[in-house]
Amino acid sequence: MVEHSEIRVVRCGGSKINFREPLITLDSKFLLCASGDSVKVYSTSTEECIHILQGHTDLVTGIVLNPANHLQVYSCSLDGTVRLWDYTDGILIKTLSIGYKITALFLSKKHEGVLFVIIPMASDTDAEAFQLVAVHLPSSAGQEVEARELSSVLTDVSAMPRATSFGRGGDYIASAKGLQLSVYFFRKQKTFRFFLKATDKKGAKNSFTCVCCHPKDDCIATGHEDGKIRLWRNFNQKKEYTYSTQHWHHDAVSALSFTPEGMNLLSGGIESVLVLWRYGAETKDLLPRLGAAIEHISVSPDGTLYCTSHSDNKITIINSNLKVSAVIQGLVKGEDVKTDLMIDPRTKALVLNGKPGHLQFYSLHHDKQLYNLDIVQQEYIHQSGLEQSDVVKAALHAHGVWLATIEERREKALDLETILKLWAYNEQTQSFELNTNISSPHDDRVTAMCFSPSADGTLLVTAGKDGHFKAWQLAEDWDSHREGLSWSCDFVGSYHHLRPTNCCFSADGSLLAVSFQEIITVWSPDSWELLLTLCQPPGDIRDLCFGRLSCSKYLLGTTSKNLLCCWNLLTCSLEWSTTVDVTVLQDDPLSENIAAFSHAQGNTDLFVFKPSEPRPLYSQKAVCSGKVHRAVFAPRESPLESCEAGSQWLNRSQLYFVTEHMDLMTFSTKSEDDMIIASSKQLVIDDSVAVTPFYLLLGKHRQQEKPSSLTNQMAARVQLPQGSTAIRELLHTPAHVLPSASLLCAMFVSSLLISNSAIREVSEPKEEEMESEAEEDQDSEEEMDSRDSRPVLTAQSSVGELAPTLSKAQERELRKMRKTDYSWLSGALHP
């Protein structure tokens, strides 16, 4: 089976937004952060993603504002390029090719036309050696330019950007690595190096972790592994340098940042506390309970906003008065995915374990976290070596009305605490609420759990290392005093004292397959009768999967002996088998397709097939390095059109998987890429009209709506509340790009009303007619007839058949009646 080039593996939503220090723009309205191979632009007020700057082909490692234009930013990447962007419009302006992997980028106003980047050393002896070099920008005006003029500034520096900082506006640059602090003075072109001992008398760790230079004074702040902060002075003379020490953090200082005027110093670490030190004083302020360890700190150019990046892939925006104003939460990534990847049937969100003790619901379409569900409901203590409860298993009902979770906590080597919790979905609160809490559902660890997809009843099956599988049924709660439904054990099954490893239901819920080491048993959930057993070739069962739709008669399984087998349940025989090391076997709920990820030679390959056909529909070698342990098919909002034959398996569902490095990946087709390119060119604006948010909202709609009759206007206005483009854009456009509500309110209300503009067109010619009569009263009556008849006919033609046609004699009689003075009548009525 040949590979299809129209399908490629891409990083999807859920990339790290805490990989590098975020950047706040000059007006503090936007926040930019590196996210995988792109740069995301967020609003600091609404937390919404405004733009995604895409163009790099590898990991983005730095973002810096352009000193010459505050509406532009530079970004660097491991692809060896530096790109200049207009972040307000999301436009790529220029690409500079450096030719080396770039790990950090720095700019200074005093060094115009020069970029400072950190790249690997030229020597191949030490792969961890990096150097700081100056890149002189070429004068070429092209969009893609090669920048090959490099000059070395510092050698043997750290690859991390937080270990290097410009001082005093660009007079010098400081960089720390290990126990060495290097300071390079540009005017003297001289480098001073300062060393610390590995440990002091008290055994503290003196290694440098981060560096930040004061913007006004000759002062360098350094963070260390023992939690101390040192303020270095007189470092322009190698032998007369001094430093003072401040200490609050109990562990390594991970981030330092001065405010623009240098009045305050911000620090953070594993304690999840932002510390604000008063420069030149001994006082400090604390902002505790930020949720996770602080990895980066940045300050807006005007000093009104602080920003912290956290280990749980979160960015917190903080006002200068130390009040949290916004939180941008990305996909929380731990050491591994303990639960399976699941899709919530209601929100179509990806569900998996997030921060300790929680499940996260992450929108793949909008690339944002919807909400966190606290499963353990206990405060997490940030202390190494402490065993705490965590979520290890989770399962969702096919209709999204029930959620089952397993949490574990092991206090000692043999003391395992397991809790099974059943959560019911509350329509009013739009969230899950705890319904049943079952302590120790099994005597040992739970190995598998699944819900029955049958619509007749609600059934949950769990399998444990104690040698049993249990069926839990929803029924009325007779034991407790509260009213409602609760879960209880309905059946306990076993097979020859073997340990169950997997369980799964058929697509209609009529069959339950439970694997006991090397044997597969098939049960009837209605009577709990053992229907048949399938003897597996040597090797424990790794995974089980039923076929769907036309392939529902097949049952597939993988073994630890690198076998993939398919059984025909009607004939109770082995249909086919093949030798392949399958790590994940995932079925598509909307088709007969099965995706198998296999590991070979350090990489993972993908095979997509139907159980009825042993030959794969699609295969791709080396989709990623390492092993894939979690994958899921997510239904699309609308099926793809014009898919080629090789990509038909992605027509209705999209396949997602998680790599060893916790990267969320997916497969993109050529038609999807074409749709993205076409959507970026969809907005066409008239050159004669100013491009304003107000025009983008309603301008195009106003041009399209020009009905020629009153009937057309009424029909168009009546349909506005349901299908108007203007109202749809009004309701879906982010609030920060909309005009004020006072400007939009009247227009929005008017769009819901029926316009009477056509009736005004009838009355206006009549008024003009009376004015013309008053001016031309001295002329003959025949001239007035010839002049006034034209506008009346025009008005009549504009409204169709709304008014009858009058003869000339009737028109003259009507004009005479208009000129008659009836004022005497009002005087008679009101003496």
Side-chain angles (χ1 to χ4, degrees), residues 135-156:
V135 181
H136 300 273
L137 299 179
S139 58
S140 175
Q143 188 174 5
E144 295 186 4
V145 182
E146 289 190 2
R148 302 300 184 184
E149 187 179 352
L150 309 179
S151 59
S152 179
V153 178
L154 284 173
T155 58
D156 193 22

